Structures are given as C-alpha cells and as structure tokens.
Amino acid sequence: MDFIQIIKTIIFGIVEGITEWLPISSTGHMILLDEFFGLQASGFTAEFVELFIVVIQFGAILAVVVLFWNKLWPFCAKKEEYFIKKDTWSLWFHILVSCIPFGVAGVLFDDKIEEFIVGDTRSIIVASMLIFYGILFIVIEKGVIKHRERIRNVAGISYLLAFVIGCIQVLAMVPGTSRSGVSIIGMMLLGCTRVVSAEYSFFLAIPAMAGSSLMSVMKYEGSLGGGEIGALVIGLVVSFIVSLFAIKFLVGYVKKHNFVVFGWYRIALGIVVLACVFAGVI
C-alpha cells in the first residue's frame, strides 16, 4: 500500500465509525466520500471497494460488543462457577426475532435492489431518503406526530414489538435511510424512549451488520492481495476506534437532547447530494 491508499482507508474508517451509529446514514456519506476521495482512483478495483465499504462495518460491531459486554455476554463467573444470565439470553432471543424480517428480506431482495438502484438513480434515492427521514425526525421530536414513552428499558420490549421493529428495519435496505435512524424512529413511535431506541439499535446492528459483511465476503469473486488485506485491516481498526467514541457520544447525547439536530443535518446533506447530482459532480 502506498501513502495515499493508507490515508484514504483511514478517512473511510473514520467516516464509517461516526456515521454508522449516528442516525445520519453511512451510505449517504460513503457516496459523497467515494466521489471525492475514491479508492478506485488509488488503484483498488470497484469490486474490492464495494467489499471494503461493507466489511469495515465489522470494526464498528466490535465497538458495540466491547462497550456493552456486560449486557451482551450471557455467562457470568461467581465463586469460581459460571451461571447463565437469563435476562441476557432473553435479550438475545429478542434481537434474533428482530433480525428475522431483515435477514429474509436481505436474502430475497438485496441483489434486486442493487441492480435497480445504480448511478444517478442511487444518488437521488439516497438524497430523498436523507431528506424524508430528516423531516420525520423533526416532526416526531416537535410533537406533530404524537407518541407516548411507555418503554423505558430494553427489557420492556416484547417479542411482538421486537418483530415489528425488525419489520421496520427492513426499510433500511433502501440506501440513504440509515439502519440506526429508521430503527430509532420506529421504536420512538412504538413507545420507546430515545435512550432505549438508541441502545436497542446498537444491539440490532451486531447480527445485521455481521450478516451483511459475511454475505459480501462470500459474494466477492476477486482475490485479496497484500494491499487489499492491509486496507481492510486499517479500515476495521480505525472504524472500531472511532465507533467507541461515536457510540459513547450518542448515548450521552440522547439522555439530555432530542434528535432534531440530526434531522436538520440529514436534510442539509440530502440537499448537498442533490446539488452534486444536478451539477454533474456525482
């Protein structure tokens, strides 16, 4: 790897680590980043760049596991004996139920969506989703759409609610939607607090993003050389480190603030993407 390739992979890792957890769409940011700091221009193939963008998400997953280890690890040592934490197992079963709709939809429609959403169409759809969900965030937080906060901890999520949340998460298959963003919006409308919505969206990311990374690796038909492996390692490590800070920031932020600022940011970014499309930059 040369110096330019290293710098670009670091930048991609930073952007992934930030945007994957904030409800502002990592896809929208990656499209802009790829246009102005494209990895292909540095010698990587288009197929590898597609793989790279998905696989570095695994670094972000590891950050969730590290930060929420006590809540996610179902075993505990006490007096030199291990016992099972029933609440944690229950949480994992709820997460799996939430992932069923997303997994089924991914297997059935992922390739079809990729074939349909290409070129300018992809950029316009990304911009539209950024703006639409940005407006939705503002509308919800301003109280235009009424919702009552009934569920104040993750343990209060029923299996039925977990499944409905999973169905809502399927909307994230459309680029620009933001998996965390649509999950948070849906959960707030279903009666969850901001903190519960954000935390559960983190947990949902573990199987969802791990599955996406695995599918991308399985579909990749090229061969990985030393430069490609180095780029993946750098991207994963940077994404992991930045995600640690991004997740901590969001958890602390939602305890005192609402999501309005993210709504305005999405709208602004969507307008920038549209302007770039019509100006011929993208």
Side-chain angles (χ1 to χ4, degrees):
M1 291 180 67
D2 58 32
F3 179 74
I4 297 299
Q5 289 177 327
I6 293 174
I7 293 299
K8 286 186 176 182
T9 54
I10 290 175
I11 293 174
F12 271 79
I14 292 173
V15 174
E16 167 61 28
I18 295 174
T19 61
E20 187 61 52
W21 304 113
L22 304 185
I24 54 179
S25 175
S26 59
T27 302
H29 288 78
M30 287 296 180
I31 286 177
L32 285 177
L33 191 63
D34 192 38
E35 289 295 330
F36 295 105
F37 299 95
L39 290 173
Q40 289 186 57
S42 301
F44 293 115
T45 64
E47 291 76 15
F48 172 75
V49 173
E50 184 177 341
L51 173 71
F52 173 82
I53 291 175
V54 176
V55 171
I56 61 173
Q57 295 176 346
F58 194 74
I61 297 173
L62 292 178
V64 175
V65 175
V66 169
L67 290 174
F68 294 95
W69 178 259
N70 290 333
K71 289 187 177 182
L72 295 173
W73 183 245
F75 304 103
C76 184
K78 188 176 182 180
K79 294 182 180 179
E80 299 181 354
E81 295 183 0
Y82 282 94
F83 69 91
I84 296 175
K85 295 187 287 186
K86 295 181 179 179
D87 290 344
T88 305
W89 275 113
S90 177
L91 170 63
W92 273 112
F93 284 131
H94 282 76
I95 292 171
L96 291 176
V97 169
S98 293
C99 288
I100 290 174
F102 189 79
V104 172
V107 171
L108 295 177
F109 305 113
D110 187 56
D111 290 337
K112 294 181 175 61
I113 291 176
E114 288 185 3
E115 291 175 3
F116 177 74
I117 305 178
V118 295
D120 287 350
T121 300
R122 178 182 176 86
S123 299
I124 292 173
I125 289 176
V126 167
S128 301
M129 293 300 100
L130 283 168
I131 294 171
F132 172 75
Y133 286 102
I135 293 172
L136 194 54
F137 262 122
I138 295 172
V139 167
I140 291 173
E141 292 290 19
K142 293 296 184 180
V144 177
I145 299 178
K146 301 296 182 181
H147 64 285
R148 185 167 61 89
E149 295 183 340
R150 299 176 291 102
I151 302 170
R152 299 186 176 277
N153 55 70
V154 174
I157 298 175
S158 66
Y159 281 107
L160 176 59
L161 182 58
F163 183 78
V164 174
I165 293 169
C167 293
I168 293 172
Q169 190 178 217
V170 173
L171 296 173
M173 293 181 67
V174 180
T177 298
S178 171
R179 185 202 53 78
S180 62
V182 74
S183 299
I184 290 172
I185 286 175
M187 292 181 67
M188 288 175 63
L189 290 176
L190 292 169
C192 298
T193 65
R194 297 185 188 92
V195 174
V196 171
S197 300
E199 188 172 300
Y200 195 69
S201 75
F202 297 154
F203 299 158
L204 288 182
I206 298 174
M209 291 165 60
S212 296
S213 298
L214 180 61
M215 287 180 63
S216 295
V217 171
M218 291 176 63
K219 290 192 297 183
Y220 184 66
E221 298 178 353
S223 58
L224 296 176
E228 287 81 6
I229 294 175
L232 288 174
V233 171
I234 292 173
L236 282 167
V237 172
V238 173
S239 175
F240 168 74
I241 295 172
V242 175
S243 290
L244 291 174
F245 292 98
I247 294 170
K248 285 184 177 180
F249 164 77
L250 186 59
V251 170
Y253 182 87
V254 297
K255 290 179 179 178
K256 301 177 181 179
H257 306 86
N258 58 34
F259 288 103
V260 170
V261 65
F262 297 113
W264 286 116
Y265 179 85
R266 289 180 64 102
I267 294 171
L269 180 62
I271 293 173
V272 169
V273 173
L274 286 177
C276 289
V277 171
F278 293 125
V281 177
I282 297 180

